[in-house]
Amino acid sequence: MIQVISIACLGAFAGAMIMLNTAILSFWKKAAPEDFLDWYADYASGIMDATGPLVMSSLILPLVCFFLVIKNKQSRIYWIISFSLSVIIMIITMGYFVGVNTSFAEQSIELVQIKETLDTWGRNHLIRISLAFASALFAGIGLVKYLPKNK
């Protein structure tokens, strides 16, 4: 059951990031730089509050599942890959997104840099989306490999 919940959380996390990329990033890019920064300062914390539980569960649950299936050689490798991909997402988030998002929230970024920064933000976010999708995929494979021996 925890494996299914983990896969659902990983999928929801990937889906939330796709929504950020397709709907919200498009909106940000269309807004005037001043309007974008004002919007971001007002609403970004809501995005963080909404996605925070998905972020944490996408990191913790694959690791829990790895330990639950540790005796199953065919399954555990997929769960550790899923967890590792989630760790990479967190490293990218901490290494790039926290600083950039803080510059948006504090409005400390130069207005002339916003378009280029949002373009870079989007490219880096596509990497996170790909990693999140792959993490969910590997978790799904881990479940499939686990089931035949543990029905």
Side-chain angles (χ1 to χ4, degrees), residues 81-118:
I81 291 170
S82 176
F83 170 71
S84 298
L85 293 170
S86 293
V87 168
I88 293 168
I89 292 168
M90 295 309 125
I91 291 169
I92 293 168
T93 299
M94 300 307 289
Y96 174 77
F97 287 93
V98 169
V100 172
N101 292 351
T102 299
S103 76
F104 294 157
E106 295 176 352
Q107 300 187 359
S108 60
I109 186 171
E110 296 292 327
L111 294 178
V112 297
Q113 294 177 318
I114 290 184
K115 181 185 178 343
E116 181 181 335
T117 301
L118 285 175

Side-chain angles (χ1 to χ4, degrees), residues 45-150:
S45 64
I47 294 172
M48 315 273 182
D49 291 345
T51 58
L54 286 174
V55 171
M56 293 312 296
S57 61
S58 295
L59 185 61
I60 294 167
L61 289 175
L63 183 61
V64 169
C65 291
F66 167 76
F67 285 115
L68 290 174
V69 303
I70 201 159
K71 292 182 180 178
N72 184 315
K73 290 180 186 180
Q74 291 77 28
S75 181
R76 71 179 177 214
I77 186 67
Y78 295 101
W79 284 105
I80 201 65
I81 291 170
S82 176
F83 170 71
S84 298
L85 293 170
S86 293
V87 168
I88 293 168
I89 292 168
M90 295 309 125
I91 291 169
I92 293 168
T93 299
M94 300 307 289
Y96 174 77
F97 287 93
V98 169
V100 172
N101 292 351
T102 299
S103 76
F104 294 157
E106 295 176 352
Q107 300 187 359
S108 60
I109 186 171
E110 296 292 327
L111 294 178
V112 297
Q113 294 177 318
I114 290 184
K115 181 185 178 343
E116 181 181 335
T117 301
L118 285 175
D119 289 341
T120 303
W121 193 103
R123 285 189 299 275
N124 288 332
H125 190 63
L126 286 173
I127 294 168
R128 290 194 305 177
I129 291 169
S130 300
L131 293 170
F133 180 79
S135 179
L137 180 65
F138 278 103
I141 295 169
L143 176 61
V144 168
K145 296 290 187 178
Y146 177 81
L147 288 177
K149 292 186 176 188
N150 299 286

